[in-house]
Structure formats: structure tokens, C-alpha cells
Amino acid sequence: MAESSGSLETVTEHERILQEIESTDTACLGPTLRSVYDDQPNAHQRFMEKLDARIRNHDREIEKMCNFHHQGFVEAINELLKVRADAEKLKVQVTDTNRRLQDAGKEVIAKTEESIRCRIQQRNIATVIDKLQLCLPVLEMYSKLKEQISGKRYYSALKTMEQLEHIYLPKVSQYRFCQLMGENLPKLREEIKEISMSGLKDFLESIRKHSDKIGETAMRQAQQQKTFQVALHKKTNMNIKKNKYILNGHISEDKNGVKSKYDAADEETDEEVLNVQDLVDFSPVYRCLHIYSILGDKEVFENYYRKQRRKQARLVLQPQSNMHETVEGYRKYFSQIAGFFVVEDHILHVTQGLVTGTYTTELWNMAQSKIIAVLRTHSSYCTDPDLVLELKNLIVVFADTLQSFGFPVTRLFDLLFEVRDRYNETLLKKWAGIFRTIFEADNYSPIPVANEEEYRNVISKFPFQDTETDKKPFPKKLPISQSVPQIYSQVKEFIYASLKFSESLHRSSTEIDDMLRKSTNLLLTRTLSGNLQNVIKKPHIGLTELVQIIINTTHLEQACKYLEEFITNITNISPETVHTTRLYGLSTFKDARHSAEEEIYTKLNQKIDEFIQLADYDWTMSEPDGRASGYLMDLINFLRSTFQVFTNLPGKVAQTACMSACKHLSTSLTQMLLDSDLKQISMGAIQQFNLDVIQCELFASSDPVPGFQEDTLQLAFIDLRQLLDLFMVWDWSTYLADYGQPTSKYLRVNPSTALILLEKMKDSSKKNNIFSQFRKNDRDKQKLMETVVKQLRSLVNGMSQHS
């Protein structure tokens, strides 16, 4: 039972598979056939049997169907065979008819094709005409563009290019040549930019080369204008307004765009008002600015222009290394800078935004700092006052020129104060040489005048006033030497030279007066004073020359008030005006005179020392010679003759010199006695020394210089006199008894001095055999001396302990 049910299921499954094979596409039979093998074993055998049975069944059905339709098929074939003959005839007829039709239509076809070709050509021609009408304006504009570029009408070319790009080319953009044109337009723009930039570079190069000519013209115009204003102001006593600068001459343009001038100074009537546009062709700048503005690169152009001009400014501001050697070097330097800023000022006012006020101000401030630094450096090298004066004039003209164009120049005028100091330094050096020459040529003797004419000639140079000298008849001698009027005249010349610098400085009369007085003070207190001090200190200047120098400085001191009046007359500023600087001539000449006086005292002492060195005492002599030493008499004679020369000196000077000489002589004589090299002194030597001191005292009492009170000069020898009297009289008891008392006879004798001298005499007496026959007296004197020595030592020790 089970086997029958399994067999039934297999048969059913095979039926299903056969149905799928019959109904399914052959490409999808794989899974179906695979299922045959996936069933029970030997199932595929049964399936094959089933399949064969199915095939046989279909064959039987096909056979039945063919048998059913066979008669109809045979009849159809018979009918078809009947029609075949008719079809052959029809074919022949159709072929013949077609041949005849083809032969008849060939001509028509040819005409038709020709007509079609004509219509196509006509249509193409119409199309071409339409397209050409669109393209012709483009071509015409492009041709016009080329002509404008070749004709250097770049602004018009850019306008044409803009029309081409935005109006004409979009209409015919499909054509290749239009695309090429469109691609070429940016290249043409760049070409125009490069051409315009090339023109600008040529302009900048030309401006750089000719900026000195531009500046020179502007500075000359400024100077002419200022001269004209000053003259008009003097004539009408009114201030006038600034006018345009006037340039005389004819102008012609050179190929570089900078116009050159021909000198026509003699044609004063043909004045032509010019500005910078008449001197410089600015069209390259305008053209380039306009082109870059149209192309949208205005900022690029502005930055390039400013950058290049900054570079040129640095070049212009860089001076030549030897600029300080000649005024032409300074003039060229200022002309270049003035030309540079004249151009920039014009660019500022005629263009919009190419340069700005801030830019020019910044550039000018930078230039001012550089100019000031350069002038400080190079002016320090100048040693010629005339060159420094020319430099000052150039700075003034330069500053006036720049100021007329609106540039602030306060710092430049402030710089002039530094230049003025340099000018004063060079003047002082120059006048130092002049004074040195005057002093070297001076004979330091009174000026002889033989007649009134010679006297007038002297007082015309120097305000000499002396009532006693005026009363003397001709020929006579003026107390001053020839250097005095020369120095006075040179001081006035110095004031004139200083005044030259003050011109055109825009300073008040008070300021000019102050400048003159300060520079004159420098001349007097530094230059003249220094020269006087050097002359006084020179070794070959003797006492006679020093006396004359004192007399000269006295008269120069008296003449200082006339120098004050001289400056007052020049500046019209009264010396009594508040804050007016006073001349220091009085102190200058007083200091010089004091130095000369000190030098007189020093030289007198040196001369005394020279005579003292000639002294040749025999310190062991037993008896004096009975007369004063020869060297001392020569010294006294020298002093007498010297003090006679001092008659023209002020009384105090002569008295001080005489007192100083006597004190120095007394001190030198005392030091001679106390010299450590001198080991022993005899009483005879003391007595001889006393004779010399007596001569000194006689000289002091003879009143060698008038004006001393009685015995005043003799006090210079009082210390030495009391010391000698103590030893000559041998009055030790009185000395020791009265020591320290104000009324002591030997008040000025110092115990240490007396002790030194006494010890030298003690040593001498030990070796002296004079008292050999009087042994007792010899022994008594030795004891006395030893006693006195002990007492003096005790006094000296007491003094040292007390101190």
C-alpha cells in the first residue's frame, strides 16, 4: 500500500515536471531537470520513460493534425502554381513600365536637383549676408581699435575695446574669429598698460634727471620774488602779498618732457608768468592714471607711482660725499629736492588721489629729517665762513621756495640756529688767525705820530681818548701799540660778518641784536682772550711787552662802550632794553690784564732767581768785604730800571709788582741761608750777608714805585732783618726772654729758623781756630751756643706739641 502511494506521488511529480518543461523557456530548464535527480533513486529512469511516452503522444497528435490539413495544403499549392505564370507576366510589365518611367524622370530629377541647389545657395547667401551684417561692425570696431592703438590714442582704444566686449562680440560670439578677438582683448589691454607704464617710467626718469633744473628755476623765482617784495616794502613801507613767481626767458620743450630755459636776464621787460606745467610735460602721468583707472587698476598705479617716487626721493636726498667742499654742491642738492617737491605739489593739486596731502606731508617730514641730518653732518666739515654763509642763504631760499608751495619749514629755520653756531665757529677760527697775525706783527711799543694827519688816521680806527696825550705837541707817542686799533677794527669787521648771517632769517631786531652780542661775546671771551693769554704766556715776551699789553688791554676795555654803541646803531635796539645781552669785553680785558700782571710778577721773580743763582758767598769767611755783593747790586739796578718802565701802568699794578719782587727777594735770601746743602756759616759771612740786605732795604726805602706809604716796602725784609740783627748783636737773652710777646724785638724770628742757622754757625765755630789763643772765651761761647740751641729746641718742640 505504501509502495503504491509512493509510486503515485512520483507519477504526479513527473507530470508537473513535464508541464514545466513544456511551458518554460529552455534557458530555465536547469533547476527543473535537477529536481528529477534530487528525488528517489531510479526516479530519472521512470521520468525518462514518462518523457518518452509524452513524446509519443505528441507525435500522434501532430500526425493527426497533418492528416486533417493535408488536402487544403495541396489545393493551395495548386492555386499558387496557377498564379505563377501571371506573376511572371506582371513582373515583365512592371519592369518595362519602371524602365520607361525612369527614362522619363531623369531630366526632371536633374532640373529638380539643380533647383534645389539654387534654393540652398540662395538661402546660404541670405544667411551669410545676415551674419556679415552682424560681423561687419565688429570687424570695423576691431580695425578702429588697431588704428587707435597704433596712433597712441589709448583712452579711445579702451573705450572701443569696452564697446567690442560688451555690445558687439556677444552678438557673434559663436564664430571662431570673434572668440579669437575676445581672447586677444585682455592682451591688448595689458599692452596698453605696458605702453602707458613705459611712458610713465620715461617721465619719472626724465623728472629725476631734470629735477635740479626745476628746483633751480623755482628757487630763483622765489629769490626774485623775495627781492622784489623787500624792495617794494622799502619803497612803500607796506607789506605786499605774494604773487606768482616770474621767470625771465623763453621756454622750449625737449624730447624727454622736461622743458629747458634759455637765459634772458637782460630782457627784464619780457616777464612771463610760468608754473610747473610750463616746465614739465605731465601728460604721461595723466594718461597712465586715466588708463589704469578705466582698467580698474587705479590703486595698483597709485602704489607703483608712490613707491617709485619714494625711491627717487631717497636718491635725491642722498648727497655727494664732497658736497661740503663747494657751494655748487649744496646748490645742486637743494635744487634737486626743491624740484622733486614742486612736482609732487603739482601732482597733488591736479590729480585726484594719485598722491594725497597725508602722503606728501609724510614724505616731506621724512625729507626734512634727512636734509637736517645731512646738513648737520656736512656743515660740520665746513671751515670757510663764506661757504657757511652761502649755505645759510641757500637754506633760506630753499625754505622760502618750499613754504610758498605750502610745505612747513619751521624745522629748517630752526636748523639755521645750528648753522649759525657753525658759522660763528668758523668766524672765530678765522679771526683767531687774524688776531694771531696782529699780535705777531706788533712791536709792543707806543705808536709814534708825527703830525695831525697821522693822529687822525689812528683815531679813525680806534676811539682813543687821553687828555694828557692830546695836550702834548707833535711829534708824540700814543701809549697804545699798533695792535690796538687793528684789533678794534677787526672786532667791528667780525660784527659785520655776523650780521650777514642774520639777514633773511625772519627774525626780529631784538633777536638779531641778541645774536650779534652773543657772537661778539664769544669773540671777546674766547678767541681774543685766548690769543691774549697765549701771547702773554709766550717765553719771548718780556716785561716791557707785558707792560704794553696791560696798557693795550686797558684802552681796549675803555673802548667796549663804543662797541656797544656800534651794535646799537646797527640793530636800533637800545642797550637799556630788557633782556639785552651785555658785552663781556670788560671782563675779558680785565682777565687778560690780570694774567699779564701775574706774568709780570712771575717773570720778575724768575729774573730775581737768575740773579740769585749768580751769588757766590764764602760762607766760612772770617771778615766781610766791606761792600755789597756784585750780583745783588746788579739785581737792584735791574729792578730800578724795570720799575721805571712801569710808570705808564696803573699805580696798583706797579706797587704790587714791586712788593712781590721785594718779598720774593727776601724769601730767596732767607732760603739761601737755610739751604740744607749749606752746612756751616761763619759770623763773617753773616756780616757780609747783612751788607747785601742793607742794600735791599735802601732800595725799598728809595721809593722805586710811587704810592707806597712810609716804610711799607721795607716790611718785605723785616723777617730777614730781625733774624740778622739777632745773630749780629747776639742778643739771645732778649730773644728768649721776650719770645711770644707782641712787643718782642725779634717777634718775626721763628725759633726753628734761628735754630737751623745757629747750628750751622756752631759747626763752623768748632773748626775755627780764631779763638785758639783765648781758650776760655772760646769755651764760654761754645757753652752759650749749646745752651741757646737747647732752649731753641725746647721752643720748637713746644710749638710742635702745641700745634
Side-chain angles (χ1 to χ4, degrees):
M1 188 71 179
E3 291 178 2
S4 62
S5 63
S7 172
L8 181 60
E9 289 178 1
T10 301
V11 172
T12 304
E13 180 63 25
H14 289 168
E15 284 293 336
R16 184 186 65 78
I17 292 174
L18 288 174
Q19 288 178 2
E20 285 186 9
I21 290 173
E22 290 174 351
S23 62
T24 303
D25 189 7
T26 56
C28 299
L29 290 177
T32 304
L33 294 175
R34 190 180 298 110
S35 64
V36 175
Y37 295 94
D38 293 339
D39 292 334
Q40 300 176 2
N42 299 324
H44 66 284
Q45 185 66 34
R46 289 192 294 271
F47 175 74
M48 292 301 294
E49 293 174 356
K50 189 68 175 176
L51 180 60
D52 290 339
R54 179 62 64 89
I55 291 173
R56 286 191 299 270
N57 187 30
H58 280 297
D59 286 343
R60 284 194 296 270
E61 288 180 1
I62 292 172
E63 186 178 353
K64 286 180 182 181
M65 186 176 291
C66 287
N67 289 335
F68 179 76
H69 292 289
H70 177 71
Q71 186 62 39
F73 175 71
V74 172
E75 291 175 358
I77 291 298
N78 290 332
E79 288 180 4
L80 183 60
L81 289 174
K82 290 178 183 179
V83 176
R84 181 177 181 182
D86 294 333
E88 288 291 339
K89 291 180 183 180
L90 180 59
K91 179 180 178 182
V92 172
Q93 290 177 0
V94 170
T95 300
D96 183 57
T97 301
N98 179 58
R99 179 183 57 75
R100 287 187 284 106
L101 181 60
Q102 290 295 332
D103 291 339
K106 283 182 179 178
E107 186 177 351
V108 176
I109 290 172
K111 295 294 185 181
T112 302
E113 289 177 353
E114 184 179 355
S115 177
I116 290 171
R117 285 195 302 272
C118 289
R119 291 295 180 90
I120 292 172
Q121 289 176 355
Q122 185 179 7
R123 185 178 65 242
N124 291 341
I125 290 171
T127 302
V128 169
I129 291 173
D130 293 339
K131 298 302 181 182
L132 284 177
Q133 287 177 347
L134 289 175
C135 293
L136 277 176
V138 176
L139 295 173
E140 290 174 353
M141 293 297 287
Y142 193 79
S143 176
K144 180 181 179 182
L145 172 63
K146 287 292 187 179
E147 291 178 359
Q148 289 170 341
I149 293 176
S150 61
K152 297 183 179 180
R153 291 175 291 147
Y154 302 117
Y155 174 70
S156 301
L158 289 173
K159 287 293 185 183
T160 303
M161 202 178 301
E162 186 177 358
Q163 291 176 355
L164 267 174
E165 194 170 30
H166 295 92
I167 299 176
Y168 294 96
L169 286 180
K171 296 178 181 179
V172 290
S173 59
Q174 67 273 23
Y175 300 112
R176 178 62 180 166
F177 79 92
C178 293
Q179 295 175 2
L180 293 174
M181 285 184 183
E183 294 173 358
N184 198 36
L185 290 181
K187 297 179 182 178
L188 291 176
R189 284 196 180 93
E190 290 300 322
E191 181 181 346
I192 291 174
K193 286 173 66 176
E194 290 176 2
I195 293 173
S196 61
M197 183 57 71
S198 176
L200 176 68
K201 291 178 179 178
D202 293 341
F203 167 80
L204 292 175
E205 180 65 20
S206 178
I207 284 295
R208 187 186 68 82
K209 291 181 180 179
H210 296 84
S211 60
D212 55 339
K213 295 182 181 178
I214 299 169
E216 181 183 353
T217 302
M219 290 174 65
R220 183 169 63 254
Q221 291 171 341
Q223 192 170 15
Q224 290 174 351
Q225 180 70 7
K226 187 172 183 179
T227 303
F228 173 73
Q229 289 179 351
V230 170
L232 187 61
H233 177 72
K234 289 181 179 179
K235 183 177 180 180
T236 62
N237 199 24
M238 293 175 63
N239 291 324
I240 64 171
K241 297 180 179 180
K242 291 185 177 180
N243 298 321
K244 292 182 179 179
Y245 290 147
I246 306 300
L247 175 67
N248 297 329
H250 301 285
I251 307 299
S252 63
E253 182 176 356
D254 64 14
K255 61 182 179 181
N256 290 324
V258 177
K259 301 189 177 182
S260 59
K261 65 180 181 57
Y262 298 92
D263 187 16
D266 55 336
E267 300 178 3
E268 294 292 340
T269 58
D270 298 334
E271 294 186 346
E272 184 179 355
V273 180
L274 297 175
N275 54 34
V276 69
Q277 289 171 298
D278 299 312
L279 302 174
V280 182
D281 180 15
F282 287 93
S283 59
V285 182
Y286 306 150
R287 184 187 306 117
C288 200
L289 174 61
H290 204 53
I291 289 171
Y292 272 76
S293 299
I294 293 174
L295 297 177
D297 290 336
K298 182 179 179 181
E299 186 176 352
V300 174
F301 173 72
E302 291 175 356
N303 293 335
Y304 176 82
Y305 177 84
R306 294 179 187 181
K307 181 180 179 181
Q308 295 302 315
R309 289 297 278 169
R310 282 184 184 275
K311 289 182 179 179
Q312 290 188 350
R314 294 188 182 96
L315 291 175
V316 166
L317 293 170
Q318 188 66 32
Q320 295 181 351
S321 59
N322 61 343
M323 181 179 74
H324 59 276
E325 295 178 358
T326 62
V327 69
E328 289 302 321
Y330 286 110
R331 182 176 288 111
K332 184 176 182 181
Y333 180 69
F334 285 120
S335 297
Q336 288 178 340
I337 298 174
F340 179 90
F341 282 99
V342 166
V343 171
E344 288 304 288
D345 179 75
H346 179 75
I347 293 293
L348 172 66
H349 288 91
V350 300
T351 60
Q352 295 180 351
L354 180 54
V355 295
T356 62
T358 303
Y359 162 80
T360 54
T361 301
E362 178 186 351
L363 196 61
W364 171 241
N365 289 336
M366 181 273 290
Q368 265 198 120
S369 300
K370 179 66 175 177
I371 292 168
I372 291 172
V374 166
L375 292 180
R376 280 174 179 163
T377 301
H378 283 265
S379 63
S380 65
Y381 300 144
C382 294
T383 57
D384 182 7
D386 294 334
L387 180 57
V388 180
L389 185 62
E390 288 289 344
L391 173 59
K392 164 258 173 181
N393 293 332
L394 284 174
I395 294 175
V396 171
V397 174
F398 174 74
D400 289 341
T401 303
L402 271 297
Q403 190 175 39
S404 68
F405 287 94
F407 294 97
V409 294
T410 305
R411 293 174 62 190
L412 289 177
F413 281 110
D414 292 340
L415 173 66
L416 287 174
F417 286 99
E418 299 181 28
V419 179
R420 181 200 64 193
D421 294 339
R422 183 59 193 167
Y423 178 69
N424 286 339
E425 287 297 325
T426 57
L427 282 182
L428 291 175
K429 287 183 179 179
K430 179 180 179 180
W431 257 260
I434 293 174
F435 289 148
R436 191 182 307 112
T437 303
I438 291 174
F439 286 129
E440 289 175 353
D442 195 7
N443 56 10
Y444 296 99
S445 58
I447 300 176
V449 287
N451 50 49
E452 183 71 20
E453 183 180 356
E454 292 182 3
Y455 179 73
R456 293 294 178 188
N457 184 40
V458 173
I459 63 174
S460 66
K461 299 177 182 178
F462 178 76
F464 175 79
Q465 292 182 349
D466 188 2
T467 305
E468 294 182 3
T469 304
D470 290 342
K471 292 179 180 179
K472 294 179 181 179
F474 293 101
K476 56 186 175 181
K477 291 184 177 181
L478 304 182
I480 58 176
S481 68
Q482 61 184 3
S483 64
V484 174
Q486 292 175 353
I487 290 173
Y488 184 82
S489 298
Q490 286 301 324
V491 172
K492 291 172 68 176
E493 289 298 324
F494 178 87
I495 295 173
Y496 277 128
S498 298
L499 181 63
K500 289 180 181 179
F501 193 91
S502 303
E503 296 174 352
S504 306
L505 285 186
H506 309 293
R507 301 295 176 184
S508 64
S509 298
T510 303
E511 290 176 303
I512 294 175
D513 181 83
D514 188 62
M515 291 180 194
L516 288 179
R517 291 177 183 274
K518 286 181 178 179
S519 59
T520 306
N521 279 333
L522 284 175
L523 178 73
L524 296 175
T525 59
R526 195 170 78 183
T527 305
L528 182 56
S529 176
N531 274 274
L532 281 170
Q533 297 293 341
N534 291 335
V535 170
I536 291 169
K537 298 296 182 182
K538 285 185 176 181
H540 69 274
I541 295 296
L543 292 171
T544 304
E545 288 82 0
L546 289 172
V547 170
Q548 187 62 56
I549 289 174
I550 292 176
I551 297 171
N552 289 349
T553 52
T554 302
H555 285 275
L556 286 171
E557 180 183 342
Q558 295 171 356
C560 283
K561 61 181 179 180
Y562 298 105
L563 290 177
E564 292 266 12
E565 295 176 1
F566 178 70
I567 296 176
T568 299
N569 293 333
I570 292 176
T571 61
N572 294 322
I573 299 298
S574 173
E576 286 74 24
T577 304
V578 180
H579 305 308
T580 299
T581 304
R582 309 295 298 181
L583 289 184
Y584 300 148
L586 297 178
S587 60
T588 298
F589 296 120
K590 282 181 180 178
D591 293 342
R593 188 163 59 252
H594 291 160
S595 297
E597 292 169 4
E598 292 295 331
E599 194 66 20
I600 286 177
Y601 307 151
T602 301
K603 286 186 179 296
L604 267 176
N605 293 342
Q606 291 175 351
K607 200 68 178 176
I608 291 172
D609 291 339
E610 292 176 4
F611 279 102
I612 293 294
Q613 290 175 0
L614 299 176
D616 186 17
Y617 287 101
D618 180 6
W619 298 107
T620 60
M621 64 190 330
S622 58
E623 295 293 334
D625 293 339
R627 62 181 183 278
S629 302
Y631 85 92
L632 188 70
M633 297 306 298
D634 292 340
L635 172 58
I636 291 175
N637 292 332
F638 165 75
L639 292 176
R640 289 186 188 279
S641 62
T642 299
F643 290 138
Q644 287 178 358
V645 178
F646 288 4
T647 54
N648 291 325
L649 285 176
K652 290 183 179 180
V653 177
Q655 292 170 11
T656 304
C658 186
M659 177 60 76
S660 173
C662 290
K663 284 183 177 180
H664 185 73
L665 177 57
S666 175
T667 302
S668 298
L669 292 174
T670 302
Q671 291 298 325
M672 190 184 301
L673 289 176
L674 303 178
D675 188 2
S676 59
D677 294 335
L678 180 59
K679 302 301 181 181
Q680 54 186 7
I681 301 177
S682 65
M683 182 56 71
I686 294 292
Q687 293 171 350
Q688 179 63 43
F689 199 80
N690 181 61
L691 293 175
D692 293 344
V693 173
I694 291 173
Q695 291 298 321
C696 293
E697 291 172 329
L698 290 174
F699 167 75
S701 63
S702 66
D703 199 15
V705 174
F708 282 110
Q709 295 181 1
E710 186 177 359
D711 297 336
T712 300
L713 195 59
Q714 291 174 282
L715 291 176
F717 300 96
I718 188 65
D719 293 359
L720 186 58
R721 169 48 53 203
Q722 290 185 7
L723 178 64
L724 292 176
D725 285 349
L726 176 61
F727 279 85
M728 294 283 293
V729 180
W730 206 253
D731 195 7
W732 293 106
S733 58
T734 303
Y735 174 75
L736 294 173
D738 295 343
Y739 177 75
Q741 300 297 323
T743 58
S744 174
K745 181 179 179 181
Y746 306 103
L747 180 64
R748 294 180 177 272
V749 178
N750 191 293
S752 59
T753 304
L755 177 61
I756 294 172
L757 188 57
L758 186 60
E759 287 181 335
K760 292 182 179 183
M761 290 188 67
K762 179 182 175 183
D763 293 339
S764 175
S765 63
K766 287 181 180 179
K767 298 179 180 180
N768 200 333
N769 297 323
I770 297 178
F771 302 106
S772 59
Q773 56 182 336
F774 308 107
R775 295 294 180 185
K776 186 175 184 303
N777 292 337
D778 184 20
R779 288 196 299 271
D780 292 343
K781 186 156 188 164
Q782 285 290 348
K783 290 180 181 180
L784 176 62
M785 291 178 66
E786 290 175 356
T787 303
V788 172
V789 167
K790 290 180 181 179
Q791 292 179 345
L792 288 175
R793 284 177 179 168
S794 64
L795 288 176
V796 171
N797 293 332
M799 291 174 60
S800 61
Q801 292 175 359
H802 180 71
S803 61

